[in-house]
Amino acid sequence: MESDTLDVARLAAMDSREATRLLQRVRAATLAGRRPTVVPRKDIGESWRRALSSGLDPDGGRHAGILSAAEVERRRRHSPLTDVLPVLRDALVSVADAAQHIMVVSDAEGRVLWREGHASVLRLADTLGFEVGADWSEPAVGTNGVGTPLVTRRPVQVFSAEHFVSAHHTWTCAGAPVVDPRDGRLIGVVDVSGPLATMHPATLSFVTSVTRLAAAELRAQHLRALERLRAVAAPVLCRVGGRALAVDANGWVAAVTGMPPRDRLALPAAPPTGRVWLPSLGMCTVEPLPGGRLVQAVDGAGGAPAAGALRVVLDLSRPRHRSVTVSGDAGSWTQELSPRHAELLFVLALHREGRSAAQLAQDIFEDPTRTVTVRAEMSRLRRRLAEVLAHRPYRFGEGVRVEVIRPDRAADLLPRSSSPAVRAARERQA
């Protein structure tokens, strides 16, 4: 008999106690290795499998130590979400309070940095360890509205016994990830949580809309910073000869002279002051500017090395840090990678013959129709790695030597990735 698949609207239409009992039966069958008559939603089922493979106790859960007040404050100061906290508060806190919810904001590691809302719900959250400084990543507490969006990079609503840990079954939550538009980094999750009876299917859409407002505010702040850099750089560029650009810390171009305009210049993670080889310009000099850097091409010093001399090292040995290094006769260049770009480069390293957009969509999302997303991500990658990546199909260029450094443990290979290609690689390595 073919199993039904649950959805949030169906759950919301049911009595909360009836829905909880149904989900508990589904969870019990799944955790016991049986096929339930009703199939959990895809994000939930995949999260359960990750939690089981990590050895997390579904009837306990291990809460990591709470961060000290000083460490929480340090993370707040360094979080880009600090700049958009007023947007989040204005949009969410009053609504959450009226609906007997709380708003929770975490960093990219799942640590709770801010928590505001209905006083009685805050007290309930304390009993679950859902407090400032706590670790609510999936490895720590299983399926939840903070940790699961960090893994999937998509908004996720978790209702009652969809939580992996049984102590959380009286709770409902909806969380959406926030990506910094300046560099594509996942910087945290905004979550709205409350007691089971307060569950509503529209909560996730509301939270997702607010995170988009926050991202838009970050983008507006970035544009204002580029305007300030442009004002500083304009007289400097008038004095220099040849090809030069004023860029911010993430390589976004504020002003340019001696070459066609461009949006962004690929920079090493920590570009030094002085001479450095950049793939798109060749040998350059880098000097500090208020709010950015002045990059001048050293014309006549030689451009990028010949393709045959290029070597690419994709370093995935550290679970939370991914990088790519391009080396050639003129020097080397290292760039930190987002989880998605690391996945794409890993798949291309496995398939040197190349992959179409549909094949990459299947490899990454298990959905060959998501070609628009793949093409957008590959376009961003090729702007940074144009000298080593070709397209039609997407692949590493002819003559480029590619090395992948994997972690010692198979489970540590892009551990937050749910990509079918990455899962298969873990299984082969195990």
Side-chain angles (χ1 to χ4, degrees), residues 113-399:
L113 296 187
W114 293 276
R115 196 190 68 153
E116 301 178 27
H118 197 280
S120 65
V121 183
L122 289 171
R123 289 192 293 272
L124 283 174
D126 288 340
T127 66
L128 300 175
F130 201 20
E131 54 191 302
V132 171
D135 182 357
W136 275 71
S137 64
E138 266 200 356
V141 294
T143 311
N144 71 91
V146 172
T148 303
L150 285 174
V151 175
T152 64
R153 296 175 68 93
R154 294 189 299 272
V156 177
Q157 191 160 15
V158 185
F159 176 66
S160 183
E162 290 181 325
H163 288 90
F164 183 78
V165 174
S166 57
H168 306 159
H169 290 182
T170 58
W171 209 249
T172 179
C173 51
V178 184
V179 173
D180 193 330
R182 294 167 290 196
D183 57 12
R185 288 185 304 119
L186 180 62
I187 54 177
V189 165
V190 177
D191 168 86
V192 167
S193 294
L196 189 56
T198 64
M199 187 266 186
H200 193 283
T203 305
L204 186 62
S205 297
F206 180 49
V207 174
T208 303
S209 298
V210 173
T211 60
R212 289 173 180 161
L213 282 177
E217 175 60 23
L218 286 172
R219 191 175 295 109
Q221 292 176 8
H222 179 221
L223 292 176
R224 290 193 292 270
L226 284 179
E227 286 294 337
R228 291 192 294 271
L229 176 57
R230 184 174 296 116
V232 170
V236 177
L237 291 177
C238 287
R239 293 195 299 268
V240 303
R243 298 178 296 152
L245 310 94
V247 301
D248 70 4
N250 295 305
W252 291 100
V253 177
V256 61
T257 186
M259 67 180 77
R262 61 174 70 190
D263 292 330
R264 196 173 186 184
L265 178 67
L267 292 174
T273 298
R275 290 171 72 91
V276 60
W277 176 72
L278 299 178
S280 56
L281 293 179
M283 193 60 68
C284 298
T285 61
V286 179
E287 301 175 36
L289 284 175
R293 297 178 177 88
L294 173 67
V295 179
Q296 292 180 264
V298 182
D299 293 320
L310 285 173
R311 177 170 177 259
V312 173
V313 177
L314 180 60
D315 188 349
L316 306 178
S317 61
R318 297 174 296 168
R320 293 185 181 273
H321 299 280
R322 308 146 300 271
S323 67
V324 61
T325 300
V326 180
S327 303
D329 296 337
S332 64
W333 173 85
T334 299
Q335 178 70 49
E336 295 293 318
L337 294 170
S338 69
R340 181 70 71 228
H341 286 177
E343 289 173 338
L344 287 165
L345 289 179
F346 179 67
V347 171
L348 294 180
L350 295 178
H351 298 278
R352 290 302 306 271
E353 74 282 3
R355 304 295 274 172
S356 67
Q359 287 173 320
L360 282 175
Q362 175 65 32
D363 294 331
I364 302 300
F365 303 111
E366 207 167 3
D367 181 356
T369 66
R370 294 186 64 177
T371 55
V372 172
T373 302
V374 164
R375 290 192 179 102
E377 294 292 348
M378 286 304 302
S379 177
R380 296 185 186 102
L381 259 179
R382 293 188 69 244
R383 283 199 292 270
R384 296 178 174 223
L385 299 169
E387 77 284 10
V388 298
L389 287 179
H391 64 122
R392 297 180 184 175
Y394 296 112
R395 64 195 187 281
F396 284 102
E398 294 295 329

Side-chain angles (χ1 to χ4, degrees), residues 101-119:
H101 280 67
I102 58 173
M103 178 193 76
V104 173
V105 181
S106 83
D107 64 14
E109 294 182 356
R111 290 286 186 170
V112 176
L113 296 187
W114 293 276
R115 196 190 68 153
E116 301 178 27
H118 197 280

